[in-house]
Coordinates of all heavy atoms in Angstrom, one line a residue:
Chain A
K469 N -55.1 14.5 20.3 CA -53.9 15.0 20.9 C -53.5 14.1 22.1 O -54.3 13.4 22.6 CB -54.1 16.4 21.2 CG -54.4 17.3 20.2 CD -53.3 17.4 19.1 CE -53.6 18.4 18.1 NZ -52.6 18.5 17.0
A470 N -52.2 14.3 22.5 CA -51.7 13.6 23.5 C -52.3 14.3 24.9 O -52.5 15.4 25.0 CB -50.2 13.5 23.7
P471 N -52.5 13.6 26.0 CA -52.8 14.1 27.2 C -51.8 15.1 27.7 O -50.7 15.0 27.5 CB -52.9 13.0 28.2 CG -53.2 11.9 27.3 CD -52.5 12.2 26.0
K472 N -52.3 16.2 28.4 CA -51.4 17.1 29.0 C -51.6 17.3 30.4 O -52.7 17.3 30.9 CB -51.8 18.6 28.3 CG -51.0 19.8 29.0 CD -51.4 21.0 28.3 CE -50.6 22.2 29.0 NZ -51.1 23.6 28.6
L473 N -50.5 17.3 31.2 CA -50.7 17.3 32.7 C -51.1 18.7 33.1 O -50.5 19.7 32.7 CB -49.2 17.1 33.3 CG -49.1 17.2 34.8 CD1 -49.9 16.1 35.4 CD2 -47.7 17.2 35.2
M474 N -52.2 18.8 34.0 CA -52.8 20.0 34.3 C -52.6 20.2 35.9 O -52.5 21.4 36.3 CB -54.2 20.1 34.0 CG -54.5 19.9 32.5 SD -53.8 21.1 31.4 CE -54.8 22.5 31.8
I475 N -52.7 19.2 36.6 CA -52.6 19.2 38.2 C -51.9 18.0 38.6 O -52.1 16.8 38.0 CB -54.0 19.3 38.8 CG1 -54.7 20.6 38.4 CG2 -53.8 19.1 40.3 CD1 -54.2 21.8 39.2
Y476 N -51.0 18.1 39.5 CA -50.3 16.8 40.0 C -50.4 16.9 41.6 O -50.5 18.0 42.1 CB -49.0 16.6 39.5 CG -47.9 17.8 39.9 CD1 -47.0 17.5 41.0 CD2 -47.9 19.0 39.2 CE1 -46.1 18.5 41.2 CE2 -46.9 19.9 39.6 CZ -46.1 19.7 40.7 OH -45.1 20.6 41.0
D477 N -50.2 15.9 42.2 CA -50.2 15.9 43.7 C -51.4 16.5 44.3 O -51.2 17.4 45.2 CB -48.8 16.3 44.2 CG -47.6 15.4 43.8 OD1 -47.9 14.3 43.3 OD2 -46.5 15.9 43.9
V478 N -52.4 16.3 43.8 CA -53.8 16.9 44.2 C -54.0 18.2 43.8 O -55.1 18.5 43.1 CB -54.0 16.6 45.7 CG1 -55.4 17.3 46.1 CG2 -54.1 15.1 46.1
G479 N -53.2 19.1 44.1 CA -53.6 20.5 43.9 C -52.3 21.3 43.4 O -52.4 22.6 43.5
K480 N -51.3 20.9 43.0 CA -50.1 21.5 42.4 C -50.2 21.8 41.0 O -50.7 20.9 40.2 CB -48.8 20.7 42.7 CG -48.6 20.6 44.1 CD -47.3 19.8 44.4 CE -47.2 19.7 45.9 NZ -45.9 18.8 46.2
R481 N -49.8 22.8 40.4 CA -49.9 23.2 39.0 C -48.6 23.3 38.4 O -47.6 24.0 38.8 CB -50.6 24.6 38.8 CG -52.0 24.6 38.3 CD -52.5 26.0 37.9 NE -51.7 27.1 38.7 CZ -52.2 27.6 39.9 NH1 -53.3 26.9 40.4 NH2 -51.6 28.4 40.6
P482 N -48.4 22.5 37.2 CA -47.1 22.7 36.6 C -47.0 24.1 36.0 O -47.9 24.8 35.8 CB -47.1 21.7 35.3 CG -48.3 20.8 35.8 CD -49.2 21.6 36.6
S483 N -45.7 24.4 35.7 CA -45.4 25.7 35.1 C -46.2 25.8 33.7 O -46.1 24.8 33.0 CB -43.9 25.9 34.8 OG -43.6 27.0 34.1
G484 N -46.7 26.9 33.5 CA -47.4 27.2 32.2 C -49.0 26.8 32.3 O -49.7 27.1 31.4
V485 N -49.5 26.2 33.2 CA -50.8 25.9 33.4 C -51.5 27.0 34.1 O -51.1 27.5 35.2 CB -51.1 24.6 34.1 CG1 -52.6 24.4 34.4 CG2 -50.5 23.4 33.3
P486 N -52.5 27.6 33.4 CA -53.3 28.8 34.0 C -53.7 28.5 35.5 O -54.1 27.4 35.8 CB -54.3 29.1 33.1 CG -54.0 28.4 31.8 CD -53.2 27.2 32.2
D487 N -53.8 29.5 36.2 CA -54.2 29.4 37.7 C -55.8 29.3 37.7 O -56.3 29.1 38.8 CB -53.6 30.4 38.6 CG -54.1 31.8 38.2 OD1 -55.0 31.9 37.2 OD2 -53.6 32.9 38.7
R488 N -56.2 29.3 36.5 CA -57.8 28.9 36.5 C -58.1 27.5 36.9 O -59.2 27.2 37.3 CB -58.4 29.2 35.2 CG -58.2 30.7 34.6 CD -58.8 31.0 33.4 NE -58.2 30.2 32.3 CZ -58.8 29.2 31.7 NH1 -60.0 28.7 32.1 NH2 -58.2 28.6 30.6
F489 N -57.1 26.7 36.8 CA -57.2 25.2 37.1 C -56.7 24.9 38.5 O -55.6 25.4 38.9 CB -56.4 24.4 36.1 CG -56.9 24.5 34.7 CD1 -56.6 25.6 33.8 CD2 -57.5 23.4 34.2 CE1 -57.1 25.6 32.5 CE2 -58.2 23.4 32.9 CZ -57.9 24.5 32.0
S490 N -57.6 24.3 39.3 CA -57.2 24.1 40.7 C -57.6 22.6 40.9 O -58.7 22.1 40.5 CB -57.7 25.1 41.6 OG -59.1 25.2 41.7
G491 N -57.0 22.0 42.0 CA -57.3 20.7 42.4 C -57.5 20.5 43.8 O -56.8 21.4 44.6
S492 N -58.3 19.6 44.3 CA -58.4 19.4 45.7 C -58.8 18.0 46.0 O -59.1 17.3 45.0 CB -59.5 20.4 46.2 OG -60.8 20.1 45.7
K493 N -59.0 17.6 47.2 CA -59.3 16.2 47.6 C -60.1 16.3 49.0 O -59.7 17.0 49.8 CB -58.2 15.4 47.6 CG -58.5 13.8 47.7 CD -57.3 13.0 47.8 CE -56.9 12.9 49.4 NZ -55.8 11.8 49.6
S494 N -61.1 15.5 49.0 CA -61.7 15.2 50.2 C -62.2 13.7 50.3 O -62.9 13.3 49.5 CB -62.9 16.1 50.4 OG -63.7 15.9 51.6
G495 N -61.6 13.1 51.3 CA -61.8 11.6 51.4 C -61.3 10.8 50.2 O -60.3 11.0 49.8
N496 N -62.3 10.1 49.6 CA -62.0 9.3 48.4 C -62.3 10.0 47.1 O -62.3 9.3 46.0 CB -62.8 7.9 48.6 CG -62.3 7.0 49.6 OD1 -61.3 7.2 50.1 ND2 -63.3 6.2 50.1
T497 N -62.6 11.3 47.3 CA -63.0 12.0 46.0 C -62.1 13.2 45.7 O -61.9 14.1 46.7 CB -64.4 12.5 46.1 OG1 -65.4 11.4 46.0 CG2 -64.8 13.2 44.8
A498 N -61.4 13.3 44.6 CA -60.6 14.4 44.1 C -61.5 15.2 43.2 O -62.4 14.7 42.5 CB -59.4 13.9 43.5
S499 N -61.2 16.5 43.1 CA -61.9 17.4 42.2 C -61.1 18.3 41.4 O -59.9 18.8 41.9 CB -62.9 18.2 43.0 OG -63.8 17.5 43.8
L500 N -61.3 18.6 40.2 CA -60.7 19.6 39.4 C -61.7 20.7 39.1 O -62.9 20.4 38.6 CB -60.3 18.9 38.0 CG -59.7 19.9 37.0 CD1 -58.3 20.4 37.4 CD2 -59.6 19.3 35.5
T501 N -61.3 21.9 39.4 CA -62.1 23.0 39.2 C -61.4 23.9 38.2 O -60.4 24.3 38.3 CB -62.4 23.7 40.5 OG1 -63.0 22.9 41.4 CG2 -63.2 25.1 40.3
I502 N -62.2 24.3 37.3 CA -61.8 25.1 36.2 C -62.6 26.5 36.4 O -63.9 26.5 36.2 CB -61.9 24.7 34.8 CG1 -61.3 23.3 34.7 CG2 -61.3 25.7 33.7 CD1 -61.6 22.6 33.4
S503 N -62.1 27.6 36.6 CA -62.8 28.8 36.8 C -62.6 29.8 35.6 O -61.6 29.6 34.8 CB -62.4 29.6 37.9 OG -60.9 29.9 38.0
G504 N -63.4 30.7 35.4 CA -63.3 31.5 34.1 C -63.3 30.8 32.8 O -62.3 31.0 32.0
L505 N -64.0 29.9 32.6 CA -64.1 29.0 31.5 C -63.8 29.7 30.2 O -64.4 30.7 29.9 CB -65.5 28.2 31.3 CG -65.6 26.9 32.0 CD1 -67.0 26.3 31.8 CD2 -64.5 25.9 31.7
Q506 N -63.0 29.0 29.4 CA -62.7 29.6 28.1 C -63.0 28.5 27.0 O -63.0 27.3 27.4 CB -61.2 30.0 28.1 CG -60.9 31.2 29.0 CD -59.5 31.7 28.8 OE1 -58.8 31.2 28.0 NE2 -59.1 32.6 29.8
A507 N -63.2 28.9 25.9 CA -63.4 28.0 24.7 C -62.5 26.9 24.6 O -62.8 25.8 24.4 CB -63.6 28.8 23.4
E508 N -61.2 27.4 24.8 CA -60.2 26.2 24.6 C -60.2 25.3 25.7 O -59.4 24.3 25.7 CB -58.9 27.0 24.4 CG -58.4 27.8 25.6 CD -58.6 29.3 25.4 OE1 -59.6 29.6 24.7 OE2 -57.8 30.1 26.0
D509 N -60.9 25.5 26.7 CA -60.9 24.5 27.8 C -61.7 23.2 27.5 O -61.7 22.2 28.1 CB -61.5 25.1 29.1 CG -60.5 26.2 29.7 OD1 -59.5 26.3 29.4 OD2 -61.2 27.1 30.4
E510 N -62.5 23.3 26.3 CA -63.3 22.3 25.9 C -62.4 21.1 25.5 O -61.7 21.2 24.6 CB -64.2 22.7 24.7 CG -65.2 21.5 24.3 CD -66.4 22.1 23.5 OE1 -67.1 22.8 24.1 OE2 -66.4 21.7 22.3
A511 N -62.5 20.0 26.2 CA -61.7 18.9 26.0 C -62.1 17.7 27.0 O -63.1 17.9 27.7 CB -60.2 19.2 26.5
D512 N -61.4 16.5 26.9 CA -61.6 15.5 27.8 C -60.7 15.6 29.0 O -59.6 16.1 28.7 CB -61.5 14.3 27.2 CG -62.5 13.9 26.3 OD1 -63.7 14.3 26.3 OD2 -62.2 13.2 25.2
Y513 N -61.1 15.3 30.2 CA -60.3 15.5 31.3 C -60.2 14.1 32.0 O -61.2 13.5 32.3 CB -60.7 16.6 32.3 CG -60.6 17.9 31.8 CD1 -61.5 18.5 30.8 CD2 -59.4 18.6 32.0 CE1 -61.4 19.7 30.2 CE2 -59.2 19.9 31.4 CZ -60.2 20.4 30.6 OH -60.0 21.8 30.1
Y514 N -59.1 13.7 32.4 CA -58.8 12.3 33.1 C -58.2 12.6 34.4 O -57.2 13.4 34.5 CB -58.0 11.4 32.2 CG -58.7 11.0 30.9 CD1 -58.5 11.6 29.7 CD2 -59.4 9.8 31.0 CE1 -59.2 11.2 28.7 CE2 -60.1 9.3 29.7 CZ -59.9 10.1 28.5 OH -60.5 9.7 27.4
C515 N -58.6 11.9 35.4 CA -57.9 11.9 36.7 C -57.1 10.6 36.7 O -57.3 9.6 36.0 CB -58.7 11.9 37.8 SG -59.9 10.6 38.1
S516 N -56.1 10.5 37.4 CA -55.2 9.4 37.7 C -54.8 9.4 39.2 O -54.6 10.4 39.8 CB -53.9 9.4 36.8 OG -53.1 8.3 37.1
S517 N -54.5 8.4 39.8 CA -54.0 8.2 41.1 C -53.0 7.1 41.3 O -53.0 6.0 40.6 CB -55.2 8.0 42.1 OG -54.8 7.8 43.4
Y518 N -52.1 7.3 42.2 CA -51.3 6.2 42.6 C -52.1 5.2 43.5 O -53.0 5.8 44.2 CB -50.2 6.8 43.6 CG -49.2 5.7 44.1 CD1 -48.3 5.1 43.4 CD2 -49.3 5.5 45.5 CE1 -47.4 4.1 43.9 CE2 -48.5 4.6 46.1 CZ -47.5 4.0 45.3 OH -46.7 2.8 45.8
A519 N -51.8 4.0 43.3 CA -52.7 3.0 43.9 C -52.0 2.0 44.6 O -52.4 0.9 44.8 CB -53.7 2.5 42.9
G520 N -50.9 2.2 45.2 CA -50.1 1.3 45.9 C -49.1 0.4 45.1 O -49.2 0.6 43.9
T521 N -48.4 -0.4 45.8 CA -47.4 -1.2 45.0 C -48.0 -2.2 44.1 O -47.2 -2.8 43.3 CB -46.4 -1.6 46.0 OG1 -47.1 -2.5 46.9 CG2 -45.7 -0.6 46.8

Side-chain angles (χ1 to χ4, degrees):
Chain A
K469 302 295 186 181
K472 176 187 176 182
L473 177 67
M474 304 302 286
I475 295 288
Y476 67 100
D477 297 347
V478 175
K480 298 176 182 177
R481 256 189 330 273
S483 174
V485 172
D487 60 6
R488 303 184 295 104
F489 292 82
S490 62
S492 62
K493 190 187 86 167
S494 177
N496 295 336
T497 298
S499 298
L500 172 71
T501 297
I502 309 170
S503 59
L505 269 179
Q506 299 181 4
E508 61 260 35
D509 298 334
E510 185 164 293
D512 292 327
Y513 290 84
Y514 292 89
C515 62
S516 178
S517 176
Y518 176 74
T521 56

